[in-house]
């Protein structure tokens, strides 16, 4: 199995002593309340207060500042000591923030993940067992009667939508500058299909980067409507078109572009489908490609992460897909994506790693040719 060095070190040998392993097992057993108690330490501003205090705060001072009862503050503080987000001075009984608490408070990815897991996933994950056994998003029932989350995305409660899009955009947005350089400058792309383009954020980036670029967003009809509303009146919007398509329908073909097509872009898209569905989508993408067309697949492959915490986030995200999104997709290992690309009759020309929050771009072509791998492959 291919693994980047930090992940290989953590996943191929035991890291904990027996006592540490026992504590980790209990941490897992109490995981749901660990999450909620920590989320409330953030929501009530207690971690902010501790971070901003010079010498820590007493229990009474936190009660006064938050307006919570002494009981509520005591329960949260004592739990947080065990969780590891706060420390206490045993002589003065004053609380301070720990390193873990600091990251919980200040790391943007962690804050996005907390909102995503509370607003989108928390109730649905109760049905994970059902979802794994039946291959359907059994936890989605909390929001509506849709076959997948994507059909209902535009109808979700506003807070849920906000947390979902914040999660989705956080991970993709950080990779856009380097991705634009690779796609538009290195490969000189001027005509682009943005498959699964969502709100049109990437499309706007493309037309804003180069005045000669034209983008067609392919997505569900209801998503195309959201995209058109989002881009209305923004610079370059006249060079963005929409094409409504249900990509789960194997008979739904990609449009043909008069004058040829430079590229097909799939960013954080194929992880929304099962292996069989991915092959079907890639085969239909191939039919729209010419000899010189390139297919760019941008994904956060869990095995190609520089640091292990990123792999943790990604493998956990797979279970969001299981329980809530569609019941059959995941964050893929790059070896699996290679195999699916080959099954679709495409070849990987190069791979670019380390974009933004751990993204990689697979550059694929239609014709049979000797695969040229990059140095970081």
């Amino acid at each position: 199995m291919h693994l980047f060095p930090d992940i290989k070190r953590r996943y191929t040998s035991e890291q904990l002593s027996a006592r540490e392993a026992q504590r980790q097992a209990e941490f897992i057993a109490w995981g749901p309340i660990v999450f909620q108690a920590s989320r409330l330490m953030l929501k009530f501003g207690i971690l902010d207060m501790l971070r901003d205090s010079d010498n820590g705060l007493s229990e009474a001072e936190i009660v006064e500042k938050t307006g919570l009862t002494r009981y509520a503050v005591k329960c949260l503080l004592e739990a947080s000591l065990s969780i590891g987000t706060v420390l206490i001075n045993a002589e003065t009984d004053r609380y301070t923030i720990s390193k873990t608490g600091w990251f919980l408070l200040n790391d943007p990815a962690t804050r996005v993940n907390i909102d995503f897991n509370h607003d989108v996933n928390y109730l649905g994950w109760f049905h994970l067992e059902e979802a794994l056994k039946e291959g359907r998003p059994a936890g989605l029932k909390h929001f509506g009667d849709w076959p997948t989350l994507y059909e209902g995305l535009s109808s979700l409660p506003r807070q849920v939508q906000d947390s979902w899009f914040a999660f989705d955009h956080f991970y993709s947005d950080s990779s856009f500058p380097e991705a634009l350089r690779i796609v538009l400058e290195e490969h000189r792309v001027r005509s682009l299909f943005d498959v699964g383009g969502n709100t049109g954020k990437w499309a706007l980036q493309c037309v804003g980067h180069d005045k000669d670029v034209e983008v067609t967003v392919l997505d569900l009809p209801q998503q195309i409507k959201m995209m058109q509303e989002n881009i209305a009146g923004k610079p370059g919007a006249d060079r963005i078109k929409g094409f409504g398509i249900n990509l789960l329908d194997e008979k739904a073909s990609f449009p043909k572009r008069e004058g040829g097509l430079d590229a097909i872009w799939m960013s954080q898209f194929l992880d929304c489908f099962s292996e069989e569905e991915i092959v079907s989508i890639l085969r239909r993408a191939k039919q729209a490609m010419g000899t010189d067309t390139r297919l760019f697949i941008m994904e956060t492959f869990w095995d190609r992460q520089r640091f292990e915490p990123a792999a943790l986030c990604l493998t956990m995200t797979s279970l969001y897909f299981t329980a809530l999104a569609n019941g059959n997709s995941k964050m893929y290992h790059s070896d699996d994506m290679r195999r699916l690309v080959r099954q679709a009759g495409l070849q990987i020309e190069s791979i670019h790693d380390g974009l933004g929050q751990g993204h990689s771009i697979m550059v694929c072509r239609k014709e049979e040719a000797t695969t040229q791998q990059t140095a970081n492959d």
Side-chain angles (χ1 to χ4, degrees):
M1 175 183 284
H2 174 275
L3 298 170
F4 269 22
D6 191 54
I7 300 174
K8 184 175 183 179
R9 180 181 64 82
R10 292 289 300 271
Y11 290 2
T12 58
S13 62
E14 183 62 69
Q15 303 292 307
L16 305 177
S17 67
R19 183 61 59 84
E20 290 169 337
Q22 182 185 36
R23 190 185 193 284
Q24 181 72 359
E26 289 292 359
F27 204 82
I28 293 169
W30 291 97
I33 194 56
V34 167
F35 173 82
Q36 289 294 354
S38 300
R39 184 185 69 84
L40 292 176
M41 288 287 284
L42 290 168
K43 181 175 181 178
F44 295 149
I46 298 175
L47 290 181
D48 283 285
M49 297 171 192
L50 294 177
R51 179 197 58 191
D52 297 338
S53 64
D54 292 330
N55 300 304
L57 295 171
S58 68
E59 179 184 293
E61 288 171 330
I62 295 172
V63 168
E64 182 180 358
K65 287 176 178 291
T66 60
L68 296 171
T69 65
R70 179 172 175 269
Y71 168 80
V73 168
K74 184 180 286 290
C75 284
L76 285 174
L77 287 173
E78 290 174 355
S80 296
L81 284 171
S82 297
I83 293 167
T85 54
V86 304
L87 300 169
I88 190 168
N89 185 315
E91 295 181 359
T92 64
D93 288 347
R94 298 183 75 81
Y95 291 87
T96 57
I97 193 169
S98 70
K99 290 180 181 178
T100 300
W102 189 93
F103 277 105
L104 192 69
L105 182 62
N106 293 291
D107 180 48
T110 301
R111 297 300 295 267
V112 165
N113 289 339
I114 286 174
D115 291 343
F116 178 62
N117 284 323
H118 179 67
D119 295 328
V120 181
N121 298 327
Y122 199 81
L123 295 175
W125 266 335
F126 187 81
H127 301 280
L128 178 61
E129 179 180 357
E130 186 181 350
L132 286 167
K133 288 181 176 179
E134 299 180 6
R136 65 180 183 86
L140 186 56
K141 67 181 74 174
H142 289 286
F143 295 124
D145 186 24
W146 306 293
T148 73
L149 179 140
Y150 309 109
E151 283 91 341
L153 186 58
S154 61
S155 302
L156 292 175
R158 174 54 60 182
Q159 181 63 36
V160 178
Q161 280 192 41
D162 289 346
S163 293
W164 189 94
F165 281 115
F167 176 82
D168 185 68
H169 291 163
F170 177 82
Y171 288 97
S172 61
D173 287 3
S174 62
S175 62
F176 279 174
E178 185 66 10
L180 287 167
R181 185 193 64 79
I182 293 169
V183 176
L184 300 187
E185 297 177 19
E186 187 174 317
H187 288 271
R188 299 190 60 78
V189 167
R190 296 297 176 267
S191 56
L192 178 80
F193 283 175
D194 180 6
V195 186
N198 234 328
T199 60
K201 203 161 190 179
W202 167 255
L204 285 171
Q205 292 274 335
C206 289
V207 297
H209 190 84
D210 191 314
K211 63 180 179 60
D212 295 322
V213 171
E214 296 182 355
V215 180
T216 300
V217 175
L218 279 63
D219 213 323
L220 291 166
Q222 57 267 43
Q223 288 301 113
I224 294 296
K225 182 180 179 181
M226 285 181 65
M227 180 274 293
Q228 291 170 334
E229 292 173 353
N230 184 59
I231 69 171
K234 295 180 179 177
D238 58 313
R239 287 180 280 122
I240 301 174
K241 298 178 181 179
F243 183 84
I245 182 173
N246 179 6
L247 289 156
L248 288 174
D249 181 357
E250 294 188 356
K251 297 180 180 179
S253 299
F254 282 41
K256 294 290 185 179
R257 184 180 185 277
E258 185 177 348
L261 179 67
D262 291 336
I264 296 176
W265 173 256
M266 299 180 179
S267 172
Q268 293 184 181
F269 172 70
L270 292 181
D271 53 49
C272 300
F273 300 93
S274 69
E275 292 193 0
E276 295 78 10
E277 291 164 347
I278 289 173
V279 173
S280 170
I281 291 168
L282 291 178
R283 283 175 176 163
R284 281 175 279 150
K286 179 185 173 184
Q287 293 172 359
M289 294 170 65
T291 301
D292 296 324
T293 306
R294 293 295 182 270
L295 170 65
F296 297 90
I297 299 172
M298 188 166 81
E299 289 288 346
T300 43
F301 300 114
W302 69 260
D303 61 298
R304 304 183 79 89
Q305 301 305 305
R306 184 180 178 188
F307 300 114
E308 188 277 336
L312 166 68
C313 294
L314 293 170
T315 55
M316 296 301 106
T317 300
S318 289
L319 298 177
Y320 142 74
F321 285 112
T322 305
L324 286 113
N326 52 41
N328 61 9
S329 74
K330 64 192 298 291
M331 305 305 294
Y332 286 96
H333 188 289
S334 63
D335 286 351
D336 293 323
M337 191 60 69
R338 285 176 181 275
R339 172 172 49 82
L340 301 175
V341 167
R342 288 196 298 269
Q343 286 181 11
L346 298 165
Q347 290 199 351
I348 298 173
E349 186 176 67
S350 61
I351 301 180
H352 303 264
D353 289 315
L355 284 71
Q357 294 285 328
H359 281 77
S360 299
I361 291 181
M362 285 184 173
V363 185
C364 308
R365 62 185 302 163
K366 180 178 181 179
E367 64 184 23
E368 294 294 326
T370 301
T371 304
Q372 181 183 4
Q373 300 295 349
T374 55
N376 62 354
D377 178 17

